[in-house]
Amino acid sequence: MRRRTFLMFSAATAAGAMWDVAVEHGAPGKELVRFIPETKLIPGVTVWRPSVCAQCAAGCGLSVRVVEGDAEVVRKGQSGLIKVGLAKKLEGNPGHPVNRGKLCARGQAGLQVTYNPDRLSHPLRRTGPRGSGQYAEVGWEEALGELHARLGPLASPSATSSLAFLTPPLRGQRRALIENFLSGFDGSALVSFEFFDDRVLREANRLSFGRAQLPTFDLAQSNVVLSFGADFLGTWNSPVAQSLSYGTMRQGRSGVRGKFVQVEPRISQTGASSDEWIPARPGTEGELALGIAHVLMSEHLRPAAAAGSAGRWIAGWSDGLPEYRPEAVAWKTSVAPETIRGLARQLATHSPAVAIVGGAPLAQTNGLFTALAVNALNALLGSVGKPGGLQFTPQLGSIGPAAPAKSKSNAANLSGNIQTLAQQIRTGKPKPVGALLIYQANPVFAAPPDWQVKEALVKVPFIASFGSFTDETSSLADLILPDHSYLESWVDDLPESGAAEAVLSLAPPALEPLHHTRATPDVLLDLAHRLGGPVAKALPWKTYEAMLQDAYTPLRHLPGSVSAASDDEFWSKVKDQGGWWSAGPVPETKPTAARGRSQPVKNQEPEFDGPAQDFPFHFLPFPSQQFGDGRHANLPWLQEMPDLLSTAMWGSWVEIHPGTAQRLGIAEGDLVEVSSPHGVLRAPAVLSPGIAPDVVAMPVGQGHERYGRYASGRGANPMAILGTKTEPETGALAWAATRVSVRRIGKGELCLFSVGPLEWGAKQLKR
Amino acid sequence: MTTRERQRLEAAPQDRDRLTRDLLRPVLHTSPRIYLTMMALGAFVLAGLVAFVYQAYWGMGVSGLNRPVFWGFYITNFVFWIGISHAGTLISAILRLANARWRRPVTRCAEAITVFALVIGASFPIIHLGRPWLFFWLIPYPSERGIWPNFRSPLLWDFCAITTYLTGSLAFLLLPIIPDWATLRDRAIGWRKKLYRVLALGWRGTPREWHRLEMAMRIMAVVIIPVAVSVHTIVSWDFAMVPVPMWHSTVFGPYFVAGAIFSGIAALIIAMALLRKILHLEEYLKPIHFDHLGKLLLVMSLLWVYFIVAERLTVWYGNATPEVAVLLATQRGKFLPLFWTMVCCNFLIPFPILAIKRLRTITGTVIASSTIVVGMWLERFLIVVPSLEFKYLPFSWGNYRPSWVEITITLATFAAMPLLYLLFVKFVPIISMWELKGGEHPEPAAAAELAPGHEASDPWEGTLPSAGS
Amino acid sequence: MSRRWGMVIDLDRCTGCEACVVACSAENNIATAGESQAAKGRAIHWIRVERSWEGEFPNVRVRFRPVPCQQCDAAPCEPVCPTYASYHNAEGLNAQVYNRCIGTRYCANACPYTGRFFNWFQPSWDKPLQLQLNPDVSIREAGVMEKCTFCYQRALVAESQAEAEKRPLRDGEVSPACVQSCPSGAMVFGDLNDPASAVSRLAGLDRGVKLLEEVGTFPKITYLARES
């Protein structure tokens, strides 16, 4: 075996292109290509095909390097080697307005989603108890038959129980498809769940600017950037687009170098790039923003009226915010009055300047107030809709099929969140949940324990999952109908931010499917056809491709990136380009008018879960540079990518200020126990100079119980100890509002890329 | 043999016989204890071989090496054993040239150390290769593809120097054994007789043969000294030629040579004491030998201190950031215990023992030598590892902890040395019989020393077993 | 005149996102080491982002710099290799001939930047991850050194493309995977022998410094120092 491996490697080195064959299959009999090639690629010649990145919500365009190769696949129940196009590298689509040819680490690691060894390759039916992970392979016909049989009764008008569809927040035609699918089920609910969901910011933007949407920042022309907790260069909003313009802001303009100040209690990857770090006390960021606004107004740098309608949600705005004198603000935020004044003057005199808010500051009980305060500050600075400020990417949400007219009960339920779903399951009201369909969302992993999501879900009589992997949530399913990976699917997206023009990302499959999987949109269309009735009427298409084509061809008449003489030509050009983007004004989805509120939002003291005397530290779970909210933890490249600041790999850790650690007798690498009123976890300690002494932080993403070989049983999950405090105005989880206590347990194990000192030393690369 | 000498031997036949009997006893008779010892040592060596095969099979990853510590125990052992090899040949050559007659029972013992330590030392660069089966690519041989090794690489210099030194040392060891093998040939029976007949190369003891032997030894003694010096200088250049903090030092050449002789003498003393005990050579390896070697060891200990101070003081004074990082790590940081152990072993303990005449006994010198061997091994380790752990960019600093594989292989070589030695003494009289008997084939002028009147002033006198007493 | 590939890394633009790190692993068939090996310092990253914490709370600053092989003109790794596995190619790159390497690891010690990596074990990929392997890059067997190649395979493809189209190579046409991916545009790659190339122009800026210039390795990577 060993010698053979060696010979194989020699062969592979000599003939690189033959590599796939050589390693995978030792026996010569298996090396014969048994099937007709599925690809017309020329061996060794690269083809770049467009696709759309599905690793986060930014919706970047991909360019997939496809090279012909041999893969072992199952076709018609027979397994064998076949010549197919294989994805070798993911790069940014150079023409795409959001990412312009660039791609972040998580995006590039997407290759390992398609080729993940733990990907489900065929439909599964549960054989053991729920959650045991015991499944048996079934055929697609059987699986679809069962799903049909289970959903059929729910689709009848007299159904006594309802259907729920659990997804991450969806956009584009995928959302339209699922909404239309659900329209045939009375009382059904589309439940979207994402841990870092920015609900508060959308609501604040709706109030301040009339757009329930994440903003796009024109950093390339900004002179001063003031960010409140937003990890905009790392994981938040549209990080690649923001990094692109950040680079220009720093060194892309002759003679001008933008300044960047970050306000956050723990230096994030983004904060690490800042010129100045201001560790304001958690939950007081809004206060700080208003302190700055106060100085702007009191020093007559900007008139209060400049804020326009954005100012009216802040009490005392038109009076110049008398309660927010720098001295008063300093006392609450622990930011020196002089710093506040200095910031205000810089923002005013070095325009264009922009303030950004996102992440932890909005995950407090006063999150909406904080967001509105920063919005008002932006408005006051005159940076809304201006070069170097913030703007909103035009939204072409109206393309595609309109959701069919809804019955009354349906409309009330059409969008829900995981708490209401859990409640509905528990109480059976308004209707018991008869079946649950899960598509990609993983709330069992990511929801706070007190929401009892798992306990609720297991009560649902029938659960089907479309996931490509078994994770904590999909392992509760009775039936799994695995989706293609996004490189194997028709993909479309509607980026919410990151570009000045309206963008629709769309691409045909870049690869032939590797496994015996089916694209979930096609499965739903098939199912709709089988169910008949209103569902079939709402979804008349045979394939998702046809549905997409119907939705996109009307765009031909709008000013955009594709000019074509016919619909067919237009469609083919859109597919080649990887989407469509506007080149002029387009009819937008109507901006949602401010409704349901006329009073300013009160500035309330942030509330924290857990009494301060027992739980002395603020607990800050932060989206990790590698795994985002945890969905990428099964990708080995990201597991082995060292964290920028701690250099940790393959695990999770607790970040503690060195002084605090010394006081608690904790040394680097020691195992510590972090306790909140809701749970306890253990992880090794990392002593970080870039964290406030009263804060402990932990990356989100590890601690999966069941998520494939690379993620399972690795590290700890900070969500498991979170409290359930919410931002009262939006109901969003205040995930940064939990307090904890920390104690040393013993020696721990840390896998670090750099075991060297924290500082390079005086003589290294200093000019 | 000159006529005078032969006459002398004939004049004291009982003396001659006793000498031969004593020295041949270990060769011709082996006690069960020795077999047991050999088996125990052999087991260790076997364990080392198994560990090496294991490593070659799975990859270097089974060692504790990593990035940035790409060299560890193996290179430490390499430098250490090459250092030990300087015991013999260099010492015996210098003493031979200086005509120091007290060396006579010591030379072969020392030269054997050289050869075995060289073989062991030279195996380490191969053990340490990522692809050890390709070691022959280091050899400059004409290949059909016209590919030569890189002569700019210090490793190639190493290869050449070590092979030269090994060849020379082997000749230096084997040439003077020929007469003794001839003696054995004449006395042994059975397969041994056949073996020694071959090994004796037809030695008949004619004056012409003695003359040739003597000439060869003289030439070898002159040639081997620069070779020996160059070998350890080149070993030091493996380090000094690359820009690694604390490696890149001009003092390394002489520093390594001094260290090598230092550890070599220590090893020699230990070997002599063991042989004396095990083979009952008390009458041939006398306290005075240990006393003389002890003095030499004292000088080397002082020289070692001089070099380490010269090396470290200049670095400290120069205050270049990368070098100081290594310096502080060894002296005050994580290597502090090892560093000060080394200083104790190499100087603080042996110095008083060796300096005070009363303590410079056999036991005393053996204790001193033992600490020195340990200390010099640590010195090699502290040269190799800290510089790699604390190379220029602090972000890439590292840690090194040897694995069981490296420890096993290291122990195996420490077992291999006595094993090879035991085997050697079973085939060769460890004390050169003819040299001891006759002095070193004296020149006619020097032969006068053999006259009764001079014998009292001969420091060698009294170290011989007194005839007939 | 032959080409002399070089790179400029603008530390004022770099955000430490490590897109370059994953891009490199993907392009160059770098196997993951796994937790236990990574903890022993055996993770392979041809390019790494070094981080430095400076100052005390709350006046803390972070600096980072991406460090690939510096492709030195006077590379210490080259002369020490006894088998010429580590050599200087015609375009000035420090190339590594994997087949010629016997694993003395001498080059790795000689490199002041710790930019060379050793294959401690036979690399492996859990099926079907091997399908992601780039056919243009050979994989390295246990016991050999490997290092950043400036993605030379990409240069070769671009050169043959330009040749087929009978035109000279354009500036910016060749970029290693790290440069290609860099979202903030911190990395620029090109021909240092072409005075008009972006990389030549940037390398001449006042902000330009070489890493460990005092060691005398004459690196072909110029770092543009951060301005704050």
Side-chain angles (χ1 to χ4, degrees):
Chain A
M1 178 58 213
R2 179 67 178 173
R3 190 172 152 272
R4 200 177 73 197
T5 320
F6 167 63
L7 288 175
M8 281 184 222
F9 275 100
S10 316
T13 317
M18 290 296 289
W19 154 243
D20 291 326
V21 190
V23 155
E24 215 187 335
H25 312 284
K30 288 197 86 181
E31 286 175 21
L32 299 172
V33 176
R34 289 203 238 143
F35 297 105
I36 299 158
E38 284 183 353
T39 170
K40 286 181 180 160
L41 295 170
I42 303 161
V45 175
T46 291
V47 173
W48 293 93
R49 290 182 179 158
S51 189
V52 181
C53 186
Q55 295 285 81
C56 80
C60 295
L62 288 182
S63 199
V64 187
R65 182 182 177 210
V66 181
V67 179
E68 183 248 36
D70 298 324
E72 194 172 17
V73 295
V74 178
R75 293 286 185 270
K76 296 186 175 129
Q78 219 191 336
S79 88
L81 274 182
I82 191 163
K83 289 215 174 297
V84 288
L86 294 171
K88 297 299 184 183
K89 180 106 199 317
L90 300 184
E91 289 182 359
N93 179 349
H96 199 279
V98 172
N99 58 321
R100 285 176 267 172
K102 303 300 185 181
L103 198 60
C104 72
R106 293 176 300 283
Q108 304 208 47
L111 205 53
Q112 296 194 322
V113 173
T114 297
Y115 296 132
N116 200 293
D118 297 315
R119 231 184 102 190
L120 301 177
S121 57
H122 40 67
L124 297 171
R125 180 190 285 133
R126 182 164 64 84
T127 54
R130 255 202 185 151
S132 65
Q134 289 164 15
Y135 288 93
E137 188 178 340
V138 290
W140 270 101
E141 267 319 302
E142 199 184 335
L144 282 168
E146 179 170 349
L147 192 57
H148 178 209
R150 288 290 199 155
L151 298 190
L154 303 181
S156 82
S158 57
T160 51
S161 55
S162 69
L163 171 68
F165 209 130
L166 177 60
T167 69
L170 290 174
R171 299 183 301 221
Q173 296 311 298
R174 225 162 263 251
R175 182 181 178 90
L177 192 155
I178 291 177
E179 279 180 350
N180 282 21
F181 183 80
L182 287 178
S183 69
F185 295 84
D186 195 44
S188 61
L190 173 57
V191 179
S192 68
F193 174 80
E194 187 166 48
F195 185 77
F196 298 111
D197 67 355
D198 291 311
R199 205 192 304 178
V200 174
L201 186 57
R202 285 197 191 88
E203 172 65 8
N205 288 349
R206 187 179 71 82
L207 290 170
S208 302
F209 310 124
R211 308 278 304 230
Q213 188 185 346
L214 294 181
T216 300
F217 300 98
D218 183 22
L219 301 179
Q221 301 190 62
S222 305
N223 286 340
V224 186
V225 177
L226 172 63
S227 156
F228 295 89
D231 185 20
F232 65 92
L233 298 175
T235 52
W236 180 74
N237 199 351
S238 193
V240 175
Q242 282 146 195
S243 298
L244 266 161
S245 52
Y246 169 84
T248 313
M249 174 199 103
R250 287 296 207 189
Q251 289 294 339
R253 302 166 290 176
S254 68
V256 188
R257 177 184 183 270
K259 185 181 172 168
F260 165 36
V261 179
Q262 178 86 348
V263 180
E264 57 187 358
R266 171 213 170 247
I267 292 188
S268 61
Q269 184 217 315
T270 301
S273 289
S274 65
D275 300 306
E276 194 179 341
W277 171 52
I278 299 176
R281 207 166 281 158
T284 64
E285 293 85 354
E287 196 96 26
L288 179 61
L290 294 184
I292 293 167
H294 170 93
V295 176
L296 288 172
M297 293 191 264
S298 66
E299 295 190 0
H300 307 292
L301 297 165
R302 292 283 188 281
S309 60
R312 74 182 160 118
W313 305 111
I314 306 296
W317 183 270
S318 47
D319 305 329
L321 298 167
E323 292 168 37
Y324 296 95
R325 284 180 306 105
E327 282 69 21
V329 171
W331 187 75
K332 282 190 177 171
T333 59
S334 81
V335 180
E338 272 327 296
T339 310
I340 299 172
R341 289 202 175 87
L343 277 175
R345 287 166 199 153
Q346 278 186 43
L347 288 167
T349 53
H350 292 80
S351 63
V354 68
I356 306 177
V357 65
L362 308 186
Q364 299 287 359
T365 55
N366 62 355
L368 186 66
F369 167 77
T370 302
L372 290 170
V374 177
N375 281 352
L377 175 63
N378 263 325
L380 184 67
L381 289 166
S383 54
V384 181
K386 298 277 162 51
L390 69 85
Q391 61 206 47
F392 290 95
T393 300
Q395 295 291 289
L396 262 176
S398 56
I399 71 154
K406 301 152 191 163
S407 67
K408 261 187 189 161
S409 61
N410 203 341
N413 265 330
L414 199 60
S415 70
N417 60 40
I418 193 78
Q419 292 132 284
T420 56
L421 176 69
Q423 179 116 14
Q424 191 189 350
I425 295 169
R426 265 193 298 274
T427 61
K429 282 172 188 158
K431 255 187 189 182
V433 177
L436 173 68
L437 303 179
I438 303 170
Y439 182 59
Q440 291 173 348
N442 187 5
V444 174
F445 171 74
D450 287 5
W451 283 0
Q452 309 256 314
V453 173
K454 185 175 180 184
E455 291 76 357
L457 293 189
V458 293
K459 293 195 180 122
V460 179
F462 175 74
I463 302 177
S465 163
F466 299 103
S468 292
F469 300 94
T470 43
D471 57 27
E472 290 80 356
T473 307
S474 69
S475 63
L476 301 177
D478 304 295
L479 196 61
I480 302 181
L481 303 100
D483 192 5
H484 287 339
S485 82
Y486 58 93
L487 298 180
E488 299 165 343
S489 314
W490 278 91
V491 274
D492 71 301
D493 201 358
L494 204 151
E496 182 179 5
S497 57
E501 56 270 60
V503 180
L504 292 163
S505 305
L506 174 130
L511 306 171
E512 298 295 329
L514 188 65
H515 298 302
H516 199 40
T517 53
R518 282 193 195 178
T520 300
D522 287 335
V523 169
L524 290 177
L525 290 174
D526 184 0
L527 202 60
H529 181 70
R530 286 170 194 238
L531 286 164
V535 186
K537 205 180 275 173
L539 295 169
W541 301 277
K542 276 261 183 313
T543 62
Y544 188 46
E545 178 183 0
M547 181 180 168
L548 286 171
Q549 191 171 358
D550 275 4
Y552 272 71
T553 32
L555 292 171
R556 177 157 83 90
H557 307 291
L558 294 178
S561 60
V562 175
S563 61
S566 69
D567 281 355
D568 281 350
E569 188 194 346
F570 177 79
W571 178 235
S572 112
K573 279 189 174 172
V574 166
K575 286 194 290 181
D576 287 348
Q577 202 174 57
W580 179 93
W581 24 99
S582 65
V586 288
E588 279 204 68
T589 320
K590 280 229 171 75
T592 336
R595 60 177 145 77
R597 165 176 286 284
S598 55
Q599 292 301 309
V601 177
K602 261 204 218 145
N603 174 18
Q604 299 213 310
E605 289 287 313
E607 287 173 34
F608 298 101
D609 198 310
Q613 66 272 24
D614 298 333
F615 301 98
F617 300 105
H618 295 284
F619 184 59
L620 175 65
F622 61 91
S624 91
Q625 196 179 355
Q626 293 83 12
F627 316 122
D629 59 3
R631 71 181 83 166
H632 311 314
N634 61 341
L635 308 182
W637 278 337
L638 294 176
Q639 285 281 4
E640 198 152 302
M641 180 182 116
D643 179 71
L644 175 69
L645 298 174
S646 67
T647 81
M649 302 177 279
W650 294 98
S652 54
W653 65 93
V654 178
E655 261 172 53
I656 307 175
H657 186 270
T660 307
Q662 196 182 12
R663 195 160 53 75
L664 299 173
I666 295 167
E668 172 101 355
D670 280 357
L671 189 67
V672 296
E673 188 174 83
V674 182
S675 321
S676 81
H678 306 275
V680 173
L681 62 78
R682 289 179 178 190
V686 163
L687 308 192
S688 167
I691 188 167
D694 60 343
V695 176
V696 295
M698 233 188 122
V700 168
Q702 300 277 30
H704 281 279
E705 280 168 29
R706 172 171 292 149
Y707 195 30
R709 69 193 71 182
Y710 303 112
S712 300
R714 186 175 295 291
N717 180 4
M719 276 96 129
I721 65 166
L722 289 187
T724 50
K725 286 249 188 263
T726 53
E727 200 287 319
E729 306 275 340
T730 58
L733 177 70
W735 48 261
T738 305
R739 286 181 157 277
V740 293
S741 66
V742 179
R743 70 187 179 101
R744 182 181 185 274
I745 297 296
K747 283 250 169 282
E749 277 179 29
L750 253 181
C751 175
L752 296 180
F753 184 61
S754 169
V755 294
L758 293 177
E759 195 172 345
W760 290 333
K763 293 191 181 171
Q764 305 287 335
L765 200 70
K766 263 208 179 153
R767 303 176 70 227
Chain B
M1 250 187 275
T2 61
T3 329
R4 281 288 292 276
E5 218 177 323
R6 205 170 296 125
Q7 281 166 354
R8 181 189 146 98
L9 285 176
E10 279 163 6
Q14 73 277 41
D15 183 18
R16 196 193 73 167
D17 280 355
R18 181 170 164 211
L19 237 162
T20 313
R21 207 170 48 242
D22 278 359
L23 295 179
L24 285 187
R25 196 192 320 114
V27 181
L28 299 174
H29 305 280
T30 306
S31 72
R33 261 226 211 117
I34 299 277
Y35 279 120
L36 276 176
T37 315
M38 280 188 180
M39 276 159 68
L41 294 171
F44 266 99
V45 174
L46 197 67
L49 282 173
V50 169
F52 172 59
V53 171
Y54 178 82
Q55 175 182 292
Y57 185 90
W58 287 112
M60 279 311 285
V62 301
S63 71
L65 297 167
N66 57 50
R67 173 182 164 274
V69 189
F70 290 95
W71 288 2
F73 260 37
Y74 297 145
I75 298 298
T76 303
N77 288 335
F78 164 66
V79 182
F80 173 79
W81 283 113
I82 300 289
I84 294 290
S85 79
H86 280 56
T89 310
L90 195 63
I91 295 163
S92 98
I94 292 170
L95 296 182
R96 225 180 257 275
L97 287 179
N99 217 356
R101 289 205 269 158
W102 59 269
R103 73 173 158 83
R104 282 175 197 155
V106 178
T107 46
R108 184 166 298 160
C109 182
E111 287 155 15
I113 289 181
T114 297
V115 171
F116 298 139
L118 262 182
V119 170
I120 291 170
S123 67
F124 271 106
I126 296 170
I127 292 171
H128 134 112
L129 285 185
R131 303 200 290 175
W133 51 90
L134 297 176
F135 77 94
F136 63 93
W137 287 2
L138 287 167
I139 303 171
Y141 64 94
S143 83
E144 73 284 3
R145 288 183 295 169
I147 298 173
W148 289 87
N150 180 3
F151 288 98
R152 295 180 302 165
S153 170
L155 287 189
L156 211 75
W157 313 343
D158 246 355
F159 176 82
C160 297
I162 289 171
T163 41
T164 309
Y165 190 39
L166 185 59
T167 315
S169 300
L170 261 178
F172 203 59
L173 171 71
L174 295 181
L175 282 177
I177 299 181
I178 293 171
D180 283 348
W181 272 333
T183 313
L184 274 162
R185 171 195 61 196
D186 299 343
R187 302 212 169 196
I189 47 163
W191 63 273
R192 280 173 180 271
K193 194 171 185 77
K194 284 182 191 161
L195 175 72
Y196 290 123
R197 183 175 297 142
V198 175
L199 290 173
L201 300 172
W203 177 271
R204 282 173 297 136
T206 62
R208 221 169 85 99
E209 282 174 341
W210 282 115
H211 184 69
R212 287 272 163 84
L213 178 63
E214 185 202 327
M215 280 301 292
M217 290 308 289
R218 273 229 183 126
I219 293 167
M220 284 307 298
V222 173
V223 169
I224 206 81
I225 290 171
V227 172
V229 170
S230 77
V231 168
H232 225 69
T233 306
I234 287 171
V235 167
S236 85
W237 288 349
D238 286 349
F239 303 95
M241 289 293 167
V242 288
V244 172
M246 296 281 290
W247 279 11
H248 193 51
S249 157
T250 51
V251 83
F252 259 33
Y255 177 29
F256 270 52
V257 174
I261 299 170
F262 186 35
S263 62
I265 296 169
L268 175 60
I269 290 176
I270 295 170
M272 278 168 49
L274 287 174
L275 291 172
R276 184 173 186 270
K277 197 94 189 151
I278 297 168
L279 306 178
H280 308 290
L281 299 175
E282 286 86 352
E283 301 205 41
Y284 303 91
L285 298 170
K286 296 217 156 183
I288 189 157
H289 297 123
F290 292 87
D291 185 69
H292 284 319
L293 285 172
K295 283 180 193 159
L296 205 50
L297 202 56
L298 177 63
V299 172
M300 295 317 295
S301 177
L302 289 168
L303 204 54
W304 179 84
V305 170
Y306 163 75
F307 273 116
I308 199 156
V309 169
E311 182 210 17
R312 300 199 155 252
L313 189 66
T314 48
V315 166
W316 179 68
Y317 221 85
N319 202 28
T321 309
E323 297 205 316
V324 168
V326 180
L327 184 86
L328 295 185
T330 42
Q331 275 168 227
R332 297 183 202 165
K334 64 191 285 195
F335 293 103
L336 176 144
L338 291 182
F339 180 82
W340 292 106
T341 309
M342 170 189 80
V343 172
C344 289
C345 286
N346 281 350
F347 183 68
L348 296 182
I349 297 171
F351 179 75
I353 296 177
L354 299 171
I356 301 168
K357 190 171 170 58
R358 203 156 44 81
L359 298 177
R360 206 164 53 233
T361 58
I362 296 181
T363 323
T365 51
V366 168
I367 290 171
S369 299
S370 307
T371 65
I372 287 165
V373 168
V374 173
M376 283 309 293
W377 193 91
L378 285 176
E379 191 228 42
R380 294 355 185 155
F381 181 81
L382 290 171
I383 285 170
V384 175
V385 172
S387 289
L388 296 178
E389 282 197 9
F390 298 91
K391 240 160 75 172
Y392 296 94
L393 299 177
F395 185 83
S396 291
W397 285 359
N399 289 314
Y400 170 67
R401 192 166 286 210
S403 75
W404 67 267
V405 176
E406 287 160 290
I407 294 169
T408 308
I409 291 178
T410 303
L411 290 179
T413 60
F414 278 89
M417 187 74 196
L419 181 64
L420 287 170
Y421 223 89
L422 273 180
L423 283 170
F424 182 72
V425 302
K426 290 293 137 192
F427 289 98
V428 176
I430 193 61
I431 291 172
S432 181
M433 294 190 295
W434 64 270
E435 286 190 271
L436 197 56
K437 283 177 205 160
E440 191 185 352
H441 186 209
E443 290 294 304
E449 286 177 20
L450 292 172
H454 288 272
E455 285 186 351
S457 64
D458 186 356
W460 171 237
E461 196 57 33
T463 63
L464 269 174
S466 41
S469 61
Chain C
M1 193 156 58
S2 72
R3 284 188 195 92
R4 195 166 150 262
W5 296 117
M7 193 188 283
V8 165
I9 301 177
D10 191 339
L11 301 180
D12 212 7
R13 279 177 178 248
C14 177
T15 67
C17 71
E18 297 190 65
C20 50
V21 174
V22 175
C24 179
S25 294
E27 175 72 21
N28 293 301
N29 298 341
I30 295 170
T32 42
E35 183 179 12
S36 61
Q37 291 302 310
K40 285 182 185 162
R42 281 142 181 206
I44 298 180
H45 291 298
W46 288 2
I47 184 167
R48 62 179 183 267
V49 181
E50 297 197 342
R51 167 277 288 129
S52 174
W53 288 101
E54 283 160 24
E56 292 279 326
F57 181 86
N59 301 312
V60 177
R61 292 289 313 279
V62 190
R63 286 172 191 280
F64 24 81
R65 59 171 174 238
V67 183
C69 167
Q70 305 286 304
Q71 306 286 359
C72 311
D73 282 343
C77 58
E78 287 166 3
V80 300
C81 178
T83 58
Y84 284 117
S86 170
Y87 82 113
H88 215 68
N89 85 356
E91 293 180 345
L93 300 183
N94 308 120
Q96 178 76 7
V97 188
Y98 308 127
N99 283 346
R100 188 67 187 154
C101 177
I102 60 174
T104 67
R105 306 189 287 289
Y106 201 176
C107 54
N109 287 342
C111 175
Y113 308 98
T114 326
R116 295 179 146 263
F117 299 84
F118 187 69
N119 285 279
W120 302 99
F121 292 107
Q122 202 74 275
S124 67
W125 288 266
D126 294 329
K127 267 166 79 170
L129 278 178
Q130 86 285 354
L131 297 179
Q132 82 201 359
L133 293 176
N134 182 354
D136 296 345
V137 177
S138 63
I139 54 149
R140 286 74 62 180
E141 83 168 84
V144 308
M145 297 299 308
E146 60 178 65
K147 64 179 282 291
C148 164
T149 62
F150 266 178
C151 288
Y152 195 53
Q153 66 280 2
R154 286 177 166 236
L156 293 178
V157 168
E159 273 167 5
S160 61
Q161 182 71 29
E163 206 168 296
E165 294 171 14
K166 296 194 166 51
R167 59 170 172 84
L169 212 54
R170 288 185 294 266
D171 184 35
E173 196 174 344
V174 178
S175 58
C178 53
V179 176
Q180 195 285 327
S181 72
C182 183
S184 60
M187 303 169 100
V188 176
F189 184 79
D191 182 5
L192 290 170
N193 277 349
D194 172 10
S197 69
V199 75
S200 295
R201 192 174 48 77
L202 289 169
L205 293 184
D206 285 348
R207 290 195 293 137
V209 281
K210 307 272 180 176
L211 190 54
L212 298 176
E213 195 163 9
E214 66 276 14
V215 184
T217 51
F218 300 95
K220 278 195 279 294
I221 292 184
T222 303
Y223 287 91
L224 301 181
R226 201 166 141 169
E227 281 196 57
S228 64

